[in-house]
Amino acid sequence: MKTKEHTAFISIGSNIGDKLSYCRNSIKFLEKSGRTLVTAQSRFYRTEPVDYKDQDWFINAVVRIKTSLTPDELLKEINFIETDAGRVRNNLRFGPRTLDMDIIFYDDLIMNSSCLTLPHPRMHQRRFVLQPICDIDPDILHPVLKKDVKFLLKKLDNDEQKIFVYS
């Protein structure tokens, strides 16, 4: 019996240490299990912090993957990658971190469990997520809002959440 493959979009970010290396290594480690294949990657962006502003800017990107992992298995995998990169979880929400990985979309699945909400509950408010997704697939439809990501990106206030292509 063939294992079903799913398409997921993963947001990746870092604002401590060698930010670009943390992001690049996380993409490599996604494929290490053999159950995930990166099929597209956005450009890297330098992005202004959101919510908690008193911290260094981030490097962010998004990858599209094919995976045989369930959403919960994929979450465990990315949590392991974050921990391996030195991520320390503390009480400071949206604070500095060596690596932050979030499942943004998993097919067109809508779910809300104690440890995972899909699609990501704040993704439509985050330029650092929407812009990189638009690099890959601007027409992907948000399964709850029923709007494509390029529309959601255009709705954001242009004066907020500064973002620059990282070079």
Side-chain angles (χ1 to χ4, degrees):
M1 185 169 100
K2 185 173 174 161
T3 307
K4 180 156 173 43
E5 290 217 329
H6 303 275
T7 300
F9 285 76
I10 310 289
S11 175
I12 299 163
S14 174
N15 77 333
I16 295 177
D18 190 345
K19 304 171 216 174
L20 187 59
S21 287
Y22 283 124
C23 292
R24 283 186 171 146
N25 289 337
S26 72
I27 295 166
K28 290 177 193 168
F29 288 132
L30 271 172
E31 292 187 317
K32 199 171 183 180
S33 73
R35 296 179 63 194
T36 299
L37 175 67
V38 175
T39 60
Q41 177 186 323
S42 74
R43 295 176 284 187
F44 287 102
Y45 290 90
R46 184 172 173 267
T47 64
E48 182 178 25
V50 176
D51 295 321
Y52 182 74
K53 303 278 191 179
D54 189 21
Q55 60 183 318
D56 199 6
W57 282 40
F58 284 79
I59 298 295
N60 287 98
V62 168
V63 293
R64 181 181 61 212
I65 63 170
K66 288 282 188 197
T67 186
S68 60
L69 299 171
T70 67
D72 290 328
E73 290 169 335
L74 182 56
L75 180 62
K76 285 178 189 168
E77 184 77 19
I78 66 175
N79 285 340
F80 175 80
I81 294 168
E82 290 174 332
T83 301
D84 197 50
R87 166 96 187 247
V88 176
R89 297 192 186 278
N90 56 33
N91 292 335
L92 183 57
R93 188 160 189 201
F94 306 121
R97 57 212 102 148
T98 54
L99 185 61
D100 184 38
M101 300 175 75
D102 291 307
I103 305 169
I104 304 302
F105 294 122
Y106 183 96
D107 293 333
D108 58 357
L109 182 64
I110 300 168
M111 81 179 266
N112 193 354
S113 71
S114 61
C115 55
L116 182 60
T117 300
L118 292 171
H120 189 282
R122 291 173 301 283
M123 62 85 53
H124 63 286
Q125 303 165 331
R126 306 290 199 234
R127 187 177 311 278
F128 66 84
V129 172
L130 293 170
Q131 182 64 60
I133 291 175
C134 282
D135 286 356
I136 298 169
D137 187 353
D139 298 318
I140 190 169
L141 195 65
H142 190 294
V144 174
L145 301 176
K146 305 294 188 208
K147 304 288 183 192
D148 62 39
V149 291
K150 72 177 175 256
F151 175 85
L152 297 172
L153 179 61
K154 286 178 186 170
K155 276 187 56 178
L156 294 179
D157 183 339
N158 283 332
D159 294 332
E160 291 182 14
Q161 303 181 35
K162 292 179 179 48
I163 183 171
F164 303 97
V165 174
Y166 185 78
S167 53

